Structures are given as structure tokens and as C-alpha cells.
Amino acid sequence: MYYDDEENVRTYRRSVVFLFTMAVQEMYPEAEVVVRLTANKGLYCDVTMNGKDMLDESMVKTLAGRMRELIDEDIPIEKRILPRGEAVQLFKGEKSRQIAKANLIAALPQETVSIYFCGDSYDYFYGDMMKSTGALGSFALDYCAPGLLIRTPDMSGKIPERVEQPKLLHTLSDSKKWASILDCSFIPDLNRQIQNGKAGDLIRVSEALQEKKIAEIADKIEKNIDNARLVLIAGPSSSGKTSFSQRLKVQLRVVGLNPVSISLDDYFVDRDATPLTPDGRYDYESIDALDVKQFNEDLVELLAGRDVSLPRYDFITGARDPKPSEPVMIGPRQPIIVEGIHGLNEKLTSSIPRDKKFKIYVSALTQLNIDAHNRIPTTDARLIRRLVRDYQFRGSSALKTLRQWPDVRAGEEKNIFPFQEEADAVFNSALLYELAVLKKYVVPLLKQVSPNMPEYKKARRLLDFCPYFADITNEDEIPNNSILREFVGKSCFFTSTGDLKS
């Protein structure tokens, strides 16, 4: 089946985006399309004219109809290799007027560039395309005010049902504002600031925006502390949950609270009781790998103001330490912070009423686009973070991390993403400048992946992506409490070996 490979799924979706931009260009020549992020089980896009949102239900139906007509025409999608200068002029021309794309291509190191042509339309896309419009019949187009949603088949070969995610879309709106504040919507904007010596200003404002958001979340917790003292934090791999948790604790101290953290790692069941994956490995990401009953009993006791001796898990023996911790007791206005992948799942804390909990989802929604039609997938940004961290602090090669990634993603789809709309607050941990820093760390790691390995295709795609970025070589401007420090080192929250400081 064509859809049984993640890279092929991306190729198909990318081609449908090209089809969509063709329809918009034909029917609304003055309109601008910006592909934003995945949400509601689709790809969210803005369509504007003169800077203003222009879509309604009827226009979306009209565009979908024209796309179907282009599919019936079965127009070939042809890749042509053009000299870089010729490609730049192509996108600066009156027909295209895609200046950001022209600037992006102009800065590429190679002398030639691949441009895709389809009938009278052409565009630059980061990645492969299908061979013709006739292959693109499986898609759905939905109005999603103020933009629209493009849904294409996932790895099951089916178009996923639309799922409403208003909180995620609100976070998207915030991220767009942040990009506007920093004057960085596309990679060429970021590169221009780096090359003009403004990287330090960009870093400081990016970090200040995040600190302001963390402070706002701490204020919300403080205002409701007499009712909700259990703070639950969850997010996908490499979203920066641990650094966020530590920074939140600092901000809670600022508003007069003294938080206590509980580690879910200490509630693992004994190894011989751990559930297994279909291929027979221990499934530590399953909620059934935790002693949920004991965890709930301890929370109830703590929130009632009673002493509790918390368990300790020995990862070497795979069993609970027979000697528990010293008794712990919390005060009436003292929040308990729990960080873990199941934090938003009500099953984890079923004994605590919902209104007694404050849930936080830590995401990593990249505000930066390559250009208007080429987004930076959140999963790619997180994978680059993880590649760097795993090598720096866990001694893992890029090949090992790439091999583990599909299982990590499957666990996120099962245990994290279905619950993200349960959150009372969403924190976006992505930093506009981070890939310009991570680039120098990840490139040598990816180059070690051999072409004869199945993971080479993914490694090659990430490698080809890195040259888009100018380098931020001076890391002294990055504060030691930055989420990025969790991945590159010198964090005030972690030891030199990557362990959380006690």
C-alpha cells in the first residue's frame, strides 16, 4: 500500500497542497496561501487577500470543486532542475510574487534548484511530489474559520475524521502573534536577522515571550489554588516538559506558592507485571505500566493533609525499593506538580475530581515556516531536538534514535494527543531561533546514517533541510534556564550528564 510509509504520506499531502495552491491561484489570483500546522486531523491553512481573511463555506466548496476538476484532467507534475538565479527570478516575477520563496532559494548553497511544474503553475516544495494530479483524488477540504483544513490519508490509507481542537488552534493564533512580534514568519526573515547581527535580540525576545506565558500560567494556578492543587503536565517527546516544569515551579514561588513534585517513574509496576508491546518488548509508555491505584491513594492522602511515604522505584532491579521515602506532607495552599505522558488522561488521577486539577499541555508548534507553502513539521523539529539530546546525554547514535522514533510517535498518538484538548492551559515550547542553533549539532550525527539503512531516507530529508538556516554560533546569549538548554547542555536545571538536579 502506498500509504504504509510516513515519507510517502508526506509526499501525497505535499502534492495535494500544490493542487490546492493551483486552484487558489486560478480562482483568486490576488490571494495568498500560508500553510500553518497540523490540527483537527488535517493541515490548517490561511488564505488571505490584502492581509485580510477571505474564506467562507461557499468559497471552500468552490475550491474543492476546482481541485476535483484538476484531478480529472490528470495533469503531469514535472520536476525541472533550474539554475538558482533563474528560479529566483521565476518567483520574483509578476505572476508569482513570492518574494520570501525567492529569497530562500537565493540563499541556498547549491547552484541548481528543483522546481515543480503542473500545467501553467509552478512552485518550490521541500520534498518529492506525486507524478500527476490524477493520483490525488483522496482528500477533504473543510472550512475552519478563519482558514481551512486539508485532510489527506494517513498511514492507514484512510482520511482521518475531523477532530475539533480549539485550544490547539488558539495556540496557533498566539504563535502567529509571536512570529509577527519578532518579524520572523519565514526562514529568510530569521536568516536576515542573524546575518544583520540581531540574533541576540531575537533570542532575548523569544525567551521573554515564553517566560511571560509561564508567568501567566502560574498566575492562573495561584488564583485557583484553594480549589485545584494538583498540577498535571503532559506533552510529546522532546517538547521540553521537564524544563517547563522547573520554570513553572520558579514562577509559582514568585506568586507565593511552594510546589512539591512527584515523579511518576517511582510508580512503575514491577518489571514482571509490565505490559508488553505486540512484538514482546516492555511497554513502559502504557498507563498500565504504572501502579495507578497506589498513585491515586497517595494523592488523596496528600491532598487531605496527611503524611505519605512515597514509593521509590529501582530501575536496575525493575522492582519497587522496599524502603520508601521519608514521609511527605503538603500544606493547604501547596501545589503538587506531576509531569508525565499520561498527565492529561483522567484515568491517571481518577480519584481526584476534575475541578481539583489544573492540566497543562506542553506543545512545540514551530512558528516559523520555510516559506508560505512549506511548513516545518512539528514532529521534525522535535525529532531534531531528540537526536541532539540523545547523543549529548544518552550516548545514542542518530540511527538508534531514528529507529526508535516510529514507536515514540505511535505512543504519542495513543497516550498523549487524544487528551490534549483536556488541558486548562497550553504552552508552546518552540523557539523561533532554535533550529539555527541545533543545526550544527545534528548535521554530523545525521551524516553517520549509512545510505543502505532504511532510516537513511528520513536522515537525508532532515540533512537537506538544515542548509536553509543561517548558523547561530554564539550560544552565550541563550539563558541557562532556556528550554533549548535541555537539549544542547549548560542548563541550570540539569547536571552535565543530563539528569535533573535534585
Side-chain angles (χ1 to χ4, degrees), residues 19-20 22-23 26 65-75 133-134:
L19 182 73
F20 170 66
M22 289 170 56
E26 182 180 316
R66 180 55 188 147
M67 290 170 69
R68 298 289 177 194
E69 292 173 355
L70 291 170
I71 290 168
D72 291 340
E73 294 174 26
D74 195 17
I75 308 167
T133 60

Side-chain angles (χ1 to χ4, degrees), residues 20-66:
F20 170 66
T21 61
M22 289 170 56
V24 173
Q25 181 185 49
E26 182 180 316
M27 305 196 72
Y28 308 103
E30 299 301 314
E32 180 183 7
V33 175
V34 180
V35 180
R36 292 294 181 186
L37 86 165
T38 52
N40 298 25
K41 293 296 182 180
L43 198 59
Y44 179 83
C45 305
D46 285 327
V47 183
T48 59
M49 191 176 297
N50 299 321
K52 296 181 179 180
D53 298 314
M54 57 172 284
L55 290 179
D56 57 31
E57 288 273 10
S58 64
M59 294 173 74
V60 172
K61 288 181 180 178
T62 300
L63 286 167
R66 180 55 188 147

Side-chain angles (χ1 to χ4, degrees), residues 49-229:
M49 191 176 297
N50 299 321
K52 296 181 179 180
D53 298 314
M54 57 172 284
L55 290 179
D56 57 31
E57 288 273 10
S58 64
M59 294 173 74
V60 172
K61 288 181 180 178
T62 300
L63 286 167
R66 180 55 188 147
M67 290 170 69
R68 298 289 177 194
E69 292 173 355
L70 291 170
I71 290 168
D72 291 340
E73 294 174 26
D74 195 17
I75 308 167
I77 300 175
E78 177 189 0
K79 180 169 74 172
R80 300 180 194 171
I81 309 299
L82 301 181
R84 187 178 58 211
E86 184 178 332
V88 169
Q89 292 306 312
L90 194 66
F91 291 107
K92 282 186 175 179
E94 183 64 27
K95 180 180 177 181
S96 182
R97 302 189 309 280
Q98 296 188 62
I99 303 304
K101 198 181 296 278
N103 292 339
L104 178 79
I105 294 171
L108 292 175
Q110 61 265 32
E111 293 299 319
T112 59
V113 181
S114 299
I115 305 297
Y116 287 94
F117 287 78
C118 185
D120 294 331
S121 299
Y122 54 85
D123 210 338
Y124 174 74
F125 281 97
Y126 166 55
D128 296 331
M129 304 288 279
M130 301 293 284
K131 298 301 182 184
S132 74
T133 60
L136 304 175
S138 186
F139 74 90
L141 213 63
D142 309 314
Y143 181 52
C144 185
L148 58 77
L149 205 64
I150 300 174
R151 289 183 290 128
T152 54
D154 57 21
M155 289 180 64
S156 72
K158 299 177 181 179
I159 299 174
E161 291 294 324
R162 177 174 172 173
V163 176
E164 297 303 320
Q165 296 176 313
K167 292 175 182 176
L168 190 65
L169 288 176
H170 179 74
T171 304
L172 164 66
S173 178
D174 280 349
S175 71
K176 286 164 61 178
K177 291 176 185 175
W178 287 14
S180 177
I181 289 169
L182 292 161
D183 191 24
C184 266
S185 295
F186 306 121
I187 287 178
D189 302 328
L190 171 65
N191 291 344
R192 183 180 64 252
Q193 295 204 37
I194 294 170
Q195 291 156 357
N196 290 342
K198 296 182 178 179
D201 288 341
L202 185 67
I203 290 170
R204 284 186 287 275
V205 177
S206 297
E207 296 289 347
L209 284 166
Q210 285 199 348
E211 195 64 37
K212 184 173 185 289
K213 183 67 175 178
I214 296 171
E216 289 172 356
I217 294 172
D219 287 341
K220 289 181 180 179
I221 293 170
E222 191 276 331
K223 287 178 181 177
N224 197 33
I225 193 63
D226 291 327
N227 183 57
R229 286 191 290 150

Side-chain angles (χ1 to χ4, degrees), residues 243-260:
S243 290
F244 167 80
S245 299
Q246 298 304 306
R247 287 171 68 174
L248 179 64
K249 288 169 70 174
V250 172
Q251 289 293 342
L252 289 171
R253 294 289 300 274
V254 169
V255 295
L257 302 178
N258 186 21
V260 172

Side-chain angles (χ1 to χ4, degrees), residues 325-388:
S325 71
E326 293 296 320
V328 175
M329 185 174 71
I330 64 169
R333 282 176 55 86
Q334 198 168 12
I336 301 172
I337 294 182
V338 178
E339 174 212 327
I341 63 173
H342 302 290
L344 304 186
N345 185 347
E346 275 295 295
K347 183 179 177 181
L348 179 71
T349 54
S350 58
S351 295
I352 312 300
R354 177 63 181 90
D355 65 345
K356 304 296 183 184
K357 295 176 274 201
F358 189 92
K359 297 184 178 184
I360 304 169
Y361 178 64
V362 180
S363 182
L365 301 173
T366 310
Q367 305 97 328
L368 195 68
N369 269 26
I370 297 174
D371 59 33
H373 301 161
N374 291 273
R375 57 184 286 270
I376 299 174
T378 293
T379 52
D380 281 358
R382 288 194 293 112
L383 176 54
I384 288 172
R385 281 181 173 186
R386 181 159 175 148
L387 284 160
V388 173

